[in-house]
Structures are given as C-alpha cells and as structure tokens.
Amino acid sequence: YWAIQTLRQLTERQGKRYSIQGCEITDWPAFRIRGFMQDVGRSYISMEELKREIEVLSRYKMNVFHWHLTENQAWRLESKLYPMLNAPENMERDKGRYYTLEEAHQLAEFCSKHYVLLIPEIDMPGHSAAFERTFGFGMQTEEGKRIMKDLLAEACDALDVPYIHIGTDEVQFIDSTFVPEMVAFVRSKGKKAISWNPGWHYEKGEIDMTQLCSCRG
C-alpha cells in the first residue's frame, strides 16, 4: 500500500498522459508511528471532513489518526446508556454535535482500508468538565468510575481498534486506584491502553504505551 503511495507521488501528468520516470527506490519510515491528532472534543468536525483528511494523510504515508473525542467543552462519542452526555445543554461548543457509535465504527473501518491506525481518546480523569456537568460529580468517585467503565465498554465494543487512549494529563489525582482500574478494564476488553506523559506515573508493565505531551505556553 505504501509503495503505491510512493508511485502516486512520482507520477507526472502531461495533458491526458501520465508517466513515472524509471528509478530505483530504497525507502523505509524514519518513525514507526507517524500521527496526526484532531481534537473534536473542543470543535466538532464532520465525518466527511475527517474521511477526507484520512485519505490525504494516507497518501503521504501518515499511519495514525488520533481522535480526541472528549473534552471540557463536549463529549462527542455517543452513549446509548447515558444519552444526556451528548445533550446540547451539557456542551459548551458546537452544542448537540456528536458522533454515533455506528459512525465511529465506520470511521475505524475507513481508517483500516487506508492503512491508518485509529486511536480514539477518552480523556480521564481530567479534561472532564462535560462529564461533571452531566452527572454532577467527577470521574474519581465510586459512581464516576462505574460510569466510566460503562462508557469504555461502549467504545470498545463499537470500535475495532487495538488501542484506547485514556489521557490522564493535566489533572490532580485524588483517587490512586482510578487509573490502574481504567487500564485494567481497557485490557479486559481486549484492548491496549495508551496514556499521556506527563500524566499518571506508571511502573514497568502497567501501561502499554505512553505518548509525550509537550506544550508551550
């Protein structure tokens, strides 16, 4: 698939004729993961636009699409168990705009056809004001943890992807069991867990992948 993208890049058009100059190519990626993130939690982007972006990314051999689905402003992934999460009154921007579980499933399939790995992020326990507006309590409570497992189960069942990103950045941890429980639950659903760094402090083997977060003020 990637070789075909190389040929597309080398193809020249002259009128109605297309040509590729003869050459010998030795090529390999400098980085195993070549990613792009869209923060739809803050600003909703249509499915049509997301698919157009994924097509362009794959053409230039970008192989990861990071889909940041939840934020303070809005919870963009449908929940059939807790539909009030997607209600306009619980969003601050692009109110009432979210992706159905079926749309999420279709986007994962679309990515797969373009050899792009979809990594959905459900940020926790920070960046979660939309969750708190909906339920009146935070994720780091017993009821919050129960609901989060329900939401993770919905996402894991809908999305045929190997990884779930759980965030963990820019938050004060008040429950030391929260992150280990969420990682264990993600793994119990047959997925691997990714977390931001800096974020939760993991011992060896406690997380499947960490992602460096470097922000400039």
Side-chain angles (χ1 to χ4, degrees):
Y1 181 86
W2 301 122
I4 290 172
Q5 307 317 307
T6 298
L7 290 175
R8 291 179 68 176
Q9 291 171 14
L10 293 172
T11 300
E12 295 182 0
R13 179 177 179 179
Q14 297 174 333
K16 294 182 178 180
R17 298 184 61 186
Y18 295 85
S19 63
I20 300 175
Q21 291 190 9
C23 62
E24 183 175 310
I25 300 171
T26 302
D27 189 23
W28 62 87
F31 301 99
R32 182 168 62 91
I33 292 178
R34 305 175 299 281
F36 179 84
M37 183 176 80
Q38 274 291 19
D39 186 351
V40 298
R42 289 183 170 91
S43 298
Y44 177 87
I45 298 173
S46 71
M47 287 292 292
E48 291 75 16
E49 173 63 18
L50 293 179
K51 289 179 179 179
R52 189 190 70 81
E53 291 176 359
I54 290 162
E55 284 182 329
V56 173
L57 289 169
S58 72
R59 187 175 301 176
Y60 292 96
K61 305 177 188 177
M62 302 288 279
N63 65 352
V64 170
F65 186 73
H66 184 149
W67 202 19
H68 187 83
L69 284 161
T70 68
E71 250 302 334
N72 292 320
Q73 289 80 2
W75 193 282
R76 301 288 183 199
L77 183 63
E78 179 188 26
S79 173
K80 293 185 181 296
L81 293 173
Y82 306 100
M84 56 281 203
L85 259 176
N86 310 123
E89 59 267 27
N90 290 320
M91 297 184 180
E92 292 183 337
R93 191 180 297 168
D94 298 324
K95 296 184 177 184
R97 305 299 300 275
Y98 63 92
Y99 307 95
T100 67
L101 293 173
E102 178 58 30
E103 285 176 325
H105 176 77
Q106 291 174 4
L107 192 68
E109 287 188 336
F110 187 86
C111 284
S112 180
K113 289 177 181 177
H114 289 80
Y115 288 78
V116 172
L117 173 64
L118 179 67
I119 297 180
E121 180 178 354
I122 298 176
D123 212 340
M124 62 185 85
H127 296 264
S128 55
F131 180 98
E132 294 173 9
R133 279 194 301 273
T134 300
F135 297 106
F137 49 81
M139 294 179 179
Q140 296 184 82
T141 62
E142 288 305 312
E143 185 66 3
K145 288 191 289 186
R146 185 189 67 77
I147 292 172
M148 283 306 303
K149 290 176 183 178
D150 287 342
L151 294 169
L152 282 170
E154 284 188 301
C156 289
D157 291 343
L159 293 160
D160 184 16
V161 294
Y163 294 99
I164 297 290
H165 201 305
I166 62 169
T168 80
D169 61 317
E170 300 176 327
V171 65
Q172 181 180 358
F173 296 103
I174 58 176
D175 180 353
S176 61
T177 69
F178 179 87
V179 174
E181 278 191 41
M182 296 302 120
V183 172
F185 187 80
V186 167
R187 287 173 166 175
S188 76
K189 300 295 292 182
K191 312 290 187 184
K192 295 181 179 180
I194 304 178
S195 178
W196 288 112
N197 177 19
W200 181 255
H201 299 289
Y202 297 97
E203 298 295 331
K204 186 176 181 180
E206 286 186 329
I207 192 70
D208 298 295
M209 186 189 302
T210 57
Q211 183 175 4
L212 180 64
C213 178
S214 179
C215 300
R216 295 183 178 180

PDB file of all heavy atoms in Angstrom, residues 63-79:
ATOM      1  N   ASN A  63       0.359   7.201   9.251  1.00  0.00           N
ATOM      2  CA  ASN A  63      -0.310   5.931   9.524  1.00  0.00           C
ATOM      3  C   ASN A  63      -1.091   5.878  10.842  1.00  0.00           C
ATOM      4  O   ASN A  63      -1.556   4.811  11.244  1.00  0.00           O
ATOM      5  CB  ASN A  63       0.712   4.778   9.479  1.00  0.00           C
ATOM      6  CG  ASN A  63       1.754   4.876  10.589  1.00  0.00           C
ATOM      7  OD1 ASN A  63       1.822   5.869  11.311  1.00  0.00           O
ATOM      8  ND2 ASN A  63       2.554   3.843  10.726  1.00  0.00           N
ATOM      9  N   VAL A  64      -1.255   7.012  11.517  1.00  0.00           N
ATOM     10  CA  VAL A  64      -2.032   7.053  12.758  1.00  0.00           C
ATOM     11  C   VAL A  64      -2.937   8.272  12.752  1.00  0.00           C
ATOM     12  O   VAL A  64      -2.491   9.389  12.442  1.00  0.00           O
ATOM     13  CB  VAL A  64      -1.115   7.093  14.007  1.00  0.00           C
ATOM     14  CG1 VAL A  64      -1.925   7.382  15.258  1.00  0.00           C
ATOM     15  CG2 VAL A  64      -0.371   5.780  14.175  1.00  0.00           C
ATOM     16  N   PHE A  65      -4.204   8.055  13.092  1.00  0.00           N
ATOM     17  CA  PHE A  65      -5.152   9.154  13.261  1.00  0.00           C
ATOM     18  C   PHE A  65      -5.652   9.107  14.700  1.00  0.00           C
ATOM     19  O   PHE A  65      -6.362   8.193  15.096  1.00  0.00           O
ATOM     20  CB  PHE A  65      -6.319   9.026  12.292  1.00  0.00           C
ATOM     21  CG  PHE A  65      -7.254  10.203  12.304  1.00  0.00           C
ATOM     22  CD1 PHE A  65      -6.880  11.409  11.737  1.00  0.00           C
ATOM     23  CD2 PHE A  65      -8.502  10.116  12.896  1.00  0.00           C
ATOM     24  CE1 PHE A  65      -7.726  12.509  11.746  1.00  0.00           C
ATOM     25  CE2 PHE A  65      -9.361  11.204  12.914  1.00  0.00           C
ATOM     26  CZ  PHE A  65      -8.976  12.406  12.335  1.00  0.00           C
ATOM     27  N   HIS A  66      -5.241  10.110  15.466  1.00  0.00           N
ATOM     28  CA  HIS A  66      -5.589  10.217  16.889  1.00  0.00           C
ATOM     29  C   HIS A  66      -6.872  11.041  16.999  1.00  0.00           C
ATOM     30  O   HIS A  66      -6.902  12.211  16.643  1.00  0.00           O
ATOM     31  CB  HIS A  66      -4.425  10.899  17.618  1.00  0.00           C
ATOM     32  CG  HIS A  66      -4.585  10.997  19.100  1.00  0.00           C
ATOM     33  ND1 HIS A  66      -3.501  10.969  19.950  1.00  0.00           N
ATOM     34  CD2 HIS A  66      -5.667  11.130  19.900  1.00  0.00           C
ATOM     35  CE1 HIS A  66      -3.923  11.086  21.204  1.00  0.00           C
ATOM     36  NE2 HIS A  66      -5.237  11.197  21.187  1.00  0.00           N
ATOM     37  N   TRP A  67      -7.921  10.412  17.503  1.00  0.00           N
ATOM     38  CA  TRP A  67      -9.264  11.010  17.536  1.00  0.00           C
ATOM     39  C   TRP A  67      -9.602  11.367  18.971  1.00  0.00           C
ATOM     40  O   TRP A  67     -10.040  10.530  19.753  1.00  0.00           O
ATOM     41  CB  TRP A  67     -10.260  10.000  16.979  1.00  0.00           C
ATOM     42  CG  TRP A  67     -11.540  10.565  16.465  1.00  0.00           C
ATOM     43  CD1 TRP A  67     -11.797  11.842  16.108  1.00  0.00           C
ATOM     44  CD2 TRP A  67     -12.751   9.823  16.227  1.00  0.00           C
ATOM     45  NE1 TRP A  67     -13.088  11.975  15.661  1.00  0.00           N
ATOM     46  CE2 TRP A  67     -13.690  10.737  15.726  1.00  0.00           C
ATOM     47  CE3 TRP A  67     -13.114   8.484  16.386  1.00  0.00           C
ATOM     48  CZ2 TRP A  67     -14.986  10.357  15.395  1.00  0.00           C
ATOM     49  CZ3 TRP A  67     -14.398   8.105  16.046  1.00  0.00           C
ATOM     50  CH2 TRP A  67     -15.324   9.035  15.565  1.00  0.00           C
ATOM     51  N   HIS A  68      -9.390  12.648  19.322  1.00  0.00           N
ATOM     52  CA  HIS A  68      -9.589  13.125  20.698  1.00  0.00           C
ATOM     53  C   HIS A  68     -11.073  13.477  20.887  1.00  0.00           C
ATOM     54  O   HIS A  68     -11.532  14.558  20.539  1.00  0.00           O
ATOM     55  CB  HIS A  68      -8.699  14.348  20.935  1.00  0.00           C
ATOM     56  CG  HIS A  68      -8.679  14.844  22.345  1.00  0.00           C
ATOM     57  ND1 HIS A  68      -7.871  14.301  23.317  1.00  0.00           N
ATOM     58  CD2 HIS A  68      -9.368  15.838  22.948  1.00  0.00           C
ATOM     59  CE1 HIS A  68      -8.069  14.940  24.463  1.00  0.00           C
ATOM     60  NE2 HIS A  68      -8.980  15.882  24.256  1.00  0.00           N
ATOM     61  N   LEU A  69     -11.818  12.535  21.461  1.00  0.00           N
ATOM     62  CA  LEU A  69     -13.281  12.578  21.428  1.00  0.00           C
ATOM     63  C   LEU A  69     -13.944  13.321  22.578  1.00  0.00           C
ATOM     64  O   LEU A  69     -15.109  13.708  22.472  1.00  0.00           O
ATOM     65  CB  LEU A  69     -13.825  11.142  21.396  1.00  0.00           C
ATOM     66  CG  LEU A  69     -13.718  10.426  20.049  1.00  0.00           C
ATOM     67  CD1 LEU A  69     -13.828   8.920  20.240  1.00  0.00           C
ATOM     68  CD2 LEU A  69     -14.799  10.925  19.106  1.00  0.00           C
ATOM     69  N   THR A  70     -13.258  13.500  23.684  1.00  0.00           N
ATOM     70  CA  THR A  70     -13.903  14.104  24.861  1.00  0.00           C
ATOM     71  C   THR A  70     -13.050  15.229  25.410  1.00  0.00           C
ATOM     72  O   THR A  70     -11.824  15.149  25.426  1.00  0.00           O
ATOM     73  CB  THR A  70     -14.148  13.048  25.960  1.00  0.00           C
ATOM     74  OG1 THR A  70     -12.890  12.612  26.494  1.00  0.00           O
ATOM     75  CG2 THR A  70     -14.916  11.855  25.409  1.00  0.00           C
ATOM     76  N   GLU A  71     -13.725  16.269  25.891  1.00  0.00           N
ATOM     77  CA  GLU A  71     -13.023  17.434  26.434  1.00  0.00           C
ATOM     78  C   GLU A  71     -13.926  18.147  27.434  1.00  0.00           C
ATOM     79  O   GLU A  71     -15.053  17.709  27.699  1.00  0.00           O
ATOM     80  CB  GLU A  71     -12.618  18.394  25.311  1.00  0.00           C
ATOM     81  CG  GLU A  71     -11.120  18.443  25.040  1.00  0.00           C
ATOM     82  CD  GLU A  71     -10.292  18.843  26.249  1.00  0.00           C
ATOM     83  OE1 GLU A  71     -10.818  19.551  27.152  1.00  0.00           O
ATOM     84  OE2 GLU A  71      -9.110  18.468  26.309  1.00  0.00           O
ATOM     85  N   ASN A  72     -13.412  19.248  27.982  1.00  0.00           N
ATOM     86  CA  ASN A  72     -14.230  20.075  28.864  1.00  0.00           C
ATOM     87  C   ASN A  72     -15.451  20.620  28.134  1.00  0.00           C
ATOM     88  O   ASN A  72     -16.531  20.742  28.697  1.00  0.00           O
ATOM     89  CB  ASN A  72     -13.403  21.235  29.424  1.00  0.00           C
ATOM     90  CG  ASN A  72     -12.330  20.775  30.384  1.00  0.00           C
ATOM     91  OD1 ASN A  72     -12.550  19.877  31.199  1.00  0.00           O
ATOM     92  ND2 ASN A  72     -11.154  21.372  30.290  1.00  0.00           N
ATOM     93  N   GLN A  73     -15.274  20.926  26.854  1.00  0.00           N
ATOM     94  CA  GLN A  73     -16.335  21.581  26.093  1.00  0.00           C
ATOM     95  C   GLN A  73     -17.468  20.627  25.718  1.00  0.00           C
ATOM     96  O   GLN A  73     -18.626  21.041  25.655  1.00  0.00           O
ATOM     97  CB  GLN A  73     -15.764  22.218  24.825  1.00  0.00           C
ATOM     98  CG  GLN A  73     -14.908  23.443  25.078  1.00  0.00           C
ATOM     99  CD  GLN A  73     -13.494  23.095  25.504  1.00  0.00           C
ATOM    100  OE1 GLN A  73     -13.113  21.933  25.579  1.00  0.00           O
ATOM    101  NE2 GLN A  73     -12.704  24.125  25.790  1.00  0.00           N
ATOM    102  N   ALA A  74     -17.140  19.382  25.428  1.00  0.00           N
ATOM    103  CA  ALA A  74     -18.180  18.463  24.955  1.00  0.00           C
ATOM    104  C   ALA A  74     -17.695  17.022  24.979  1.00  0.00           C
ATOM    105  O   ALA A  74     -16.497  16.745  24.875  1.00  0.00           O
ATOM    106  CB  ALA A  74     -18.620  18.835  23.536  1.00  0.00           C
ATOM    107  N   TRP A  75     -18.674  16.123  25.080  1.00  0.00           N
ATOM    108  CA  TRP A  75     -18.445  14.680  24.966  1.00  0.00           C
ATOM    109  C   TRP A  75     -19.010  14.266  23.615  1.00  0.00           C
ATOM    110  O   TRP A  75     -20.209  14.228  23.414  1.00  0.00           O
ATOM    111  CB  TRP A  75     -19.156  13.950  26.098  1.00  0.00           C
ATOM    112  CG  TRP A  75     -18.753  12.512  26.261  1.00  0.00           C
ATOM    113  CD1 TRP A  75     -19.166  11.462  25.502  1.00  0.00           C
ATOM    114  CD2 TRP A  75     -17.872  11.977  27.246  1.00  0.00           C
ATOM    115  NE1 TRP A  75     -18.595  10.292  25.951  1.00  0.00           N
ATOM    116  CE2 TRP A  75     -17.798  10.586  27.025  1.00  0.00           C
ATOM    117  CE3 TRP A  75     -17.145  12.543  28.300  1.00  0.00           C
ATOM    118  CZ2 TRP A  75     -17.016   9.747  27.830  1.00  0.00           C
ATOM    119  CZ3 TRP A  75     -16.371  11.718  29.091  1.00  0.00           C
ATOM    120  CH2 TRP A  75     -16.307  10.339  28.854  1.00  0.00           C
ATOM    121  N   ARG A  76     -18.113  13.943  22.656  1.00  0.00           N
ATOM    122  CA  ARG A  76     -18.522  13.787  21.265  1.00  0.00           C
ATOM    123  C   ARG A  76     -18.856  12.355  20.849  1.00  0.00           C
ATOM    124  O   ARG A  76     -19.329  12.152  19.731  1.00  0.00           O
ATOM    125  CB  ARG A  76     -17.420  14.294  20.338  1.00  0.00           C
ATOM    126  CG  ARG A  76     -17.046  15.742  20.522  1.00  0.00           C
ATOM    127  CD  ARG A  76     -18.105  16.686  20.027  1.00  0.00           C
ATOM    128  NE  ARG A  76     -17.649  18.071  20.160  1.00  0.00           N
ATOM    129  CZ  ARG A  76     -18.429  19.120  20.167  1.00  0.00           C
ATOM    130  NH1 ARG A  76     -19.745  18.960  20.025  1.00  0.00           N
ATOM    131  NH2 ARG A  76     -17.936  20.325  20.316  1.00  0.00           N
ATOM    132  N   LEU A  77     -18.603  11.359  21.687  1.00  0.00           N
ATOM    133  CA  LEU A  77     -18.932   9.985  21.315  1.00  0.00           C
ATOM    134  C   LEU A  77     -20.271   9.603  21.923  1.00  0.00           C
ATOM    135  O   LEU A  77     -20.481   9.757  23.133  1.00  0.00           O
ATOM    136  CB  LEU A  77     -17.847   9.028  21.789  1.00  0.00           C
ATOM    137  CG  LEU A  77     -18.045   7.560  21.394  1.00  0.00           C
ATOM    138  CD1 LEU A  77     -18.028   7.396  19.876  1.00  0.00           C
ATOM    139  CD2 LEU A  77     -16.967   6.676  22.027  1.00  0.00           C
ATOM    140  N   GLU A  78     -21.159   9.095  21.093  1.00  0.00           N
ATOM    141  CA  GLU A  78     -22.488   8.732  21.569  1.00  0.00           C
ATOM    142  C   GLU A  78     -22.434   7.709  22.700  1.00  0.00           C
ATOM    143  O   GLU A  78     -21.617   6.786  22.691  1.00  0.00           O
ATOM    144  CB  GLU A  78     -23.302   8.128  20.419  1.00  0.00           C
ATOM    145  CG  GLU A  78     -24.700   7.683  20.832  1.00  0.00           C
ATOM    146  CD  GLU A  78     -25.429   6.914  19.750  1.00  0.00           C
ATOM    147  OE1 GLU A  78     -24.748   6.290  18.892  1.00  0.00           O
ATOM    148  OE2 GLU A  78     -26.670   6.932  19.749  1.00  0.00           O
ATOM    149  N   SER A  79     -23.303   7.898  23.679  1.00  0.00           N
ATOM    150  CA  SER A  79     -23.535   6.878  24.692  1.00  0.00           C
ATOM    151  C   SER A  79     -25.022   6.536  24.681  1.00  0.00           C
ATOM    152  O   SER A  79     -25.867   7.404  24.901  1.00  0.00           O
ATOM    153  CB  SER A  79     -23.119   7.357  26.088  1.00  0.00           C
ATOM    154  OG  SER A  79     -23.505   6.392  27.060  1.00  0.00           O
TER     155      SER A  79
END
